[in-house]
Amino acid sequence: MTQLELPTLEDVAKAALVSTATVSRCLNTPERVAAKTLDKVLEAVKTLGYSPNFGARALAAKRTNTFGAVIPTMDNAIFARGLQAFQEELVKNGATLLVASSSYDPEIEEEQIRALVARGADGLLLIGTERSPDIYQFIEDRQIPMVICWAYSNEPTRSYVGFDNYQATFELAERAIKFGHRKFGFISAHQAGNDRARERIRGVIAALNEHNIDASSMDIIESHYSIAAGGECFKKIMETPTPPTIVMCGNDVLAAGAAKMGHEMGLNIPNEVSITGFDNLELATILEPALTTVHVPHREMGKLAAGVLLQNVNDRSYRQHIKLPTSIVEGSSLGPVS
Amino acid sequence: MTQLELPTLEDVAKAALVSTATVSRCLNTPERVAAKTLDKVLEAVKTLGYSPNFGARALAAKRTNTFGAVIPTMDNAIFARGLQAFQEELVKNGATLLVASSSYDPEIEEEQIRALVARGADGLLLIGTERSPDIYQFIEDRQIPMVICWAYSNEPTRSYVGFDNYQATFELAERAIKFGHRKFGFISAHQAGNDRARERIRGVIAALNEHNIDASSMDIIESHYSIAAGGECFKKIMETPTPPTIVMCGNDVLAAGAAKMGHEMGLNIPNEVSITGFDNLELATILEPALTTVHVPHREMGKLAAGVLLQNVNDRSYRQHIKLPTSIVEGSSLGPVS
DNA sequence: CTCCAATATGCAAGCGCTTACATTTTCTTC
DNA sequence: GAAGAAAATGTAAGCGCTTGCATATTGGAG
């Protein structure tokens, strides 16, 4: 591997006739350097095309200005919007985002977390709360700032910027109940290792119980997040002997698949079956009838998460618990039982 | 900033009663270490919970096993699928992916590239071919392996793993012409700094010229990539005095918006107006009528790009030019002029 | 048993940067 | 203009790791 000889701090120092320390100061704390010297040095930096070596800097400064995020998947838009906002806020503060995805596999997630930490991540954004105590211990041992998103808890040892999945589906289910629905179906993401998915189901069940509806009669089918898979699940649910009058979906992507399959099966939505989603992705806007779903303030979540992390870097004991409000987006895919 | 004292190579060496060099070898080239020693060392690594310091490693080894990608946006699914595949392939080879997004702004892109390089990226994946000579020079000076995706050129100094945007829309337009369309509209991404967008338009114009159709009569509207924006543009185009019989869209997202707006305007697709997309996102599958679009082998592109980059790390002069085939996905949103 | 090659390990010199501390320069103040 | 404080700069010691080279150990072959 022939790496070209790049200019180093020392080269700049020589060219500007100052010490390496001064050059370093010009780059990191320019206010502590005389204006004339600063000019001279920056001039040299420019003509030499110098850019600092990250490894050396990280090694010496014990800080990388890099933050990591491990998301379950990049493959669809669920996390994209929030992550984009997260990154924008980081960049605004001179930091960089490192993204890894776990394919919804806890072991891969753990690996990725370790990889990010090994790469010197100054902080981590993680999705959801369920993971092995080992990996939490690992992060804690190193005092790596961490924020958990897409879920909420007031657990004091960790920071959360998220929303209440349980509450959100609880409210949505209540609305469905008011519309007269008694027999529910639910298409969920795989629940194993996915606390958000479980909470969403729990919310529905709680609402049913609250209204003395037999929750055990609810068909729950698990699926990975894709439109096609959502459609298949919908079909399966609707072909049972006593199909539900409403199919709630753990996500808009699944709901889109369900709605599409509904059309194909010749079912009128919502007259013959209601469908609800979750996330309020842009995708939801093109469905017909318009999807009733749960709006999640993704961008705000990402932005606030960045803030929490940046704060936490400077104050290792800083913890924050932000529960963002979700709201029901009234489409017409949820309607009264006819 | 109180960073906990983490175990270092030296601690491991002491615990295992060997030298730091041996520990390093155990971690990097275990085959050059006696089995007994290896066991001893790995044991110590485990009990101490050692994990190597990235900065130090990068500094000493001049290699980070980190690759960077700068994409225009994370906000929608256009790049997600390809990037996901890219990452999967990297991870399979023990490397990590660093993602940054530029918001379609050349200056931000440049910044992000520099940041990634500064962070020691061993290689870069970039989207499209148009960027300032300066930044290309910067990359070349440092001999950073680079692969350009989502576009194609056989330009020998750089590697490409992409597809022919021009050819793809050329063929699609020809099909439309065969269907009798003579008056075209086009909703494009912003062309400035976006060679893919320009190529797609160029393809259509070339097809029109080929068939002696006045290409200058084609309305071209630029938009950012969002469903809502696509709808607005569609409306604008259709409300001109002589609306086109077909609206081609630079992207499925725009097409989705166009289709939705079409319905809202009470237009029958394709009888009153045809619509085409580009990318064959999963989104396209839920449109009704099914969207006629261009399939792009995103996953294969991502995977191959990773391969090229990994190869290029070991062989600095390695260059590769892969043009992946695109194909037309026959939906029914494109039909004969009635 | 030697002896020598092959294998395994240790030594120590950096990699390029930051930063505590020491030193020099500049600015105040009387 | 001298003295002391404040500001600017320099000196040099690492940060934790890899790796070329030297040294020690092992394993045949004779």
Side-chain angles (χ1 to χ4, degrees):
Chain A
M1 184 169 340
T2 29
Q3 182 77 42
L4 211 70
E5 217 50 53
L6 291 177
T8 70
L9 239 212
E10 204 176 338
D11 297 330
V12 176
K14 271 187 195 139
L17 304 171
V18 296
S19 71
T20 61
T22 298
V23 178
S24 174
R25 281 187 207 104
C26 288
L27 267 31
N28 298 303
T29 52
E31 70 278 6
R32 317 182 68 68
V33 172
K36 234 177 59 183
T37 316
L38 186 59
D39 283 352
K40 211 168 49 177
V41 170
L42 293 184
E43 174 68 24
V45 165
K46 195 154 195 182
T47 61
L48 290 178
Y50 168 78
S51 91
N53 176 299
F54 175 67
R57 181 172 253 184
L59 182 55
K62 301 178 180 309
R63 209 164 357 90
T64 61
N65 259 309
T66 302
F67 291 82
V70 184
I71 60 176
T73 179
M74 297 196 200
D75 221 2
N76 63 44
I78 309 175
F79 302 104
R81 214 174 357 166
L83 213 61
Q84 173 77 22
F86 181 65
Q87 164 170 352
E88 282 168 11
E89 188 68 13
L90 288 181
V91 167
K92 204 179 290 176
N93 286 276
T96 300
L97 171 61
L98 235 143
V99 181
S101 77
S102 68
S103 309
Y104 284 100
D105 179 330
E107 283 190 28
I108 297 185
E109 193 204 28
E110 213 172 305
E111 237 169 68
Q112 299 278 26
I113 291 174
R114 288 183 200 274
L116 289 172
V117 170
R119 280 185 167 62
D122 285 345
L124 294 174
L125 179 152
L126 301 178
I127 310 288
T129 200
E130 182 185 351
R131 48 186 59 80
S132 85
D134 281 5
I135 194 69
Y136 273 130
Q137 190 64 48
F138 175 83
I139 294 167
E140 205 173 294
D141 284 351
R142 286 163 179 71
Q143 295 189 24
I144 313 260
M146 170 183 71
V147 59
I148 294 175
C149 296
W150 268 265
Y152 180 78
S153 156
N154 54 13
E155 201 258 308
T157 65
R158 305 202 261 265
S159 288
Y160 282 80
V161 178
F163 54 92
D164 191 332
N165 288 282
Y166 168 90
Q167 185 67 26
T169 51
F170 182 92
E171 287 171 10
L172 190 55
E174 278 210 312
R175 175 151 329 193
I177 292 167
K178 281 203 187 108
F179 270 127
H181 293 281
R182 293 295 177 269
K183 177 81 171 79
F184 283 63
F186 200 102
I187 306 178
S188 170
H190 293 293
Q191 295 182 60
N194 186 335
D195 47 288
R196 287 94 58 214
R198 286 201 308 273
E199 286 290 287
R200 291 177 195 180
I201 291 175
R202 212 166 62 78
V204 175
I205 291 177
L208 294 180
N209 287 335
E210 181 96 359
H211 293 267
N212 299 311
I213 301 170
D214 178 19
S216 69
S217 74
M218 179 167 78
D219 284 319
I220 301 175
I221 299 200
E222 296 188 6
S223 162
H224 69 272
Y225 277 154
S226 86
I227 291 177
E232 290 309 312
C233 293
F234 180 80
K235 192 171 181 185
K236 235 179 270 174
I237 286 187
M238 295 310 290
E239 284 177 344
T240 51
T242 54
T245 59
I246 176 172
V247 175
M248 295 181 67
C249 299
N251 176 271
D252 284 354
V253 175
L254 295 174
K260 186 191 173 203
M261 182 59 76
H263 294 154
E264 283 173 23
M265 294 172 71
L267 293 169
N268 180 292
I269 302 166
N271 290 340
E272 296 177 73
V273 58
S274 285
I275 293 178
T276 65
F278 201 112
D279 272 344
N280 195 25
L281 302 183
E282 206 188 10
L283 172 66
T285 65
I286 57 168
L287 293 179
E288 296 188 6
L291 186 66
T292 297
T293 185
V294 174
H295 176 74
V296 177
H298 285 121
R299 290 195 58 84
E300 194 180 356
M301 182 165 60
K303 182 175 173 177
L304 290 173
V308 168
L309 235 34
L310 289 164
Q311 187 85 24
N312 198 173
V313 166
N314 296 318
D315 171 4
R316 287 305 201 209
S317 64
Y318 179 83
R319 294 292 181 278
Q320 183 71 265
H321 302 82
I322 301 176
K323 172 153 52 166
L324 295 167
T326 59
S327 57
I328 295 178
V329 178
E330 309 248 17
S332 36
S333 69
L334 168 60
V337 175
S338 51
Chain B
M1 186 174 333
T2 28
Q3 182 76 42
L4 213 67
E5 216 51 53
L6 291 177
T8 70
L9 239 212
E10 202 175 342
D11 297 329
V12 176
K14 269 184 198 144
L17 305 170
V18 296
S19 71
T20 60
T22 299
V23 177
S24 174
R25 282 186 205 105
C26 288
L27 268 30
N28 298 304
T29 53
E31 70 278 6
R32 319 181 65 67
V33 172
K36 236 177 57 185
T37 317
L38 186 59
D39 283 352
K40 213 168 47 176
V41 170
L42 293 184
E43 174 69 25
V45 165
K46 193 154 195 181
T47 61
L48 290 178
Y50 169 78
S51 88
N53 177 298
F54 176 65
R57 182 171 252 183
L59 182 55
K62 300 178 180 307
R63 211 167 350 94
T64 61
N65 258 310
T66 302
F67 291 81
V70 183
I71 59 176
T73 179
M74 298 194 196
D75 221 2
N76 64 42
I78 310 174
F79 303 104
R81 215 174 356 165
L83 213 62
Q84 173 77 22
F86 180 66
Q87 164 169 356
E88 283 169 13
E89 188 67 12
L90 288 181
V91 167
K92 203 178 290 177
N93 287 275
T96 300
L97 172 62
L98 236 145
V99 182
S101 77
S102 67
S103 309
Y104 283 99
D105 180 330
E107 282 190 28
I108 298 185
E109 192 204 29
E110 214 171 303
E111 238 169 68
Q112 298 280 25
I113 290 174
R114 287 182 200 275
L116 288 172
V117 170
R119 278 181 169 65
D122 285 345
L124 294 174
L125 179 151
L126 301 179
I127 310 289
T129 200
E130 182 185 349
R131 45 187 62 78
S132 84
D134 281 5
I135 194 70
Y136 273 130
Q137 190 63 49
F138 175 83
I139 295 168
E140 205 173 292
D141 284 351
R142 286 164 179 71
Q143 296 189 21
I144 312 260
M146 168 183 73
V147 59
I148 294 176
C149 296
W150 268 266
Y152 180 79
S153 155
N154 54 11
E155 200 258 307
T157 65
R158 308 203 259 264
S159 288
Y160 281 80
V161 178
F163 54 92
D164 191 332
N165 289 282
Y166 169 90
Q167 185 67 25
T169 51
F170 182 92
E171 287 171 10
L172 190 55
E174 277 211 312
R175 172 147 335 189
I177 292 168
K178 279 202 190 109
F179 271 127
H181 292 281
R182 293 295 176 270
K183 178 82 171 83
F184 283 63
F186 199 103
I187 306 178
S188 170
H190 293 292
Q191 295 182 60
N194 186 336
D195 46 289
R196 287 93 59 213
R198 285 201 308 272
E199 286 290 288
R200 290 177 195 180
I201 291 176
R202 212 167 60 80
V204 175
I205 292 178
L208 295 180
N209 286 335
E210 181 95 0
H211 293 267
N212 300 310
I213 300 169
D214 178 20
S216 69
S217 74
M218 179 166 80
D219 283 321
I220 301 175
I221 298 200
E222 296 189 7
S223 161
H224 68 272
Y225 277 156
S226 86
I227 291 177
E232 290 310 313
C233 293
F234 179 81
K235 192 171 181 186
K236 232 177 276 176
I237 285 187
M238 295 309 291
E239 284 177 347
T240 52
T242 54
T245 59
I246 176 171
V247 175
M248 296 181 68
C249 299
N251 175 271
D252 284 355
V253 176
L254 295 174
K260 188 191 171 203
M261 182 59 76
H263 294 153
E264 282 173 22
M265 293 171 71
L267 293 170
N268 180 291
I269 301 166
N271 290 342
E272 296 176 73
V273 58
S274 286
I275 293 179
T276 65
F278 201 112
D279 273 343
N280 193 25
L281 301 182
E282 207 188 10
L283 171 67
T285 66
I286 56 169
L287 293 180
E288 295 186 7
L291 186 65
T292 296
T293 185
V294 174
H295 175 73
V296 178
H298 284 121
R299 291 195 57 86
E300 197 181 353
M301 182 166 60
K303 183 175 172 175
L304 289 174
V308 168
L309 234 36
L310 290 165
Q311 187 85 24
N312 198 172
V313 167
N314 296 317
D315 171 4
R316 288 304 201 210
S317 64
Y318 179 83
R319 293 292 181 278
Q320 184 72 264
H321 302 83
I322 302 177
K323 172 153 51 168
L324 295 167
T326 59
S327 57
I328 295 178
V329 178
E330 308 249 17
S332 35
S333 69
L334 168 59
V337 176
S338 50

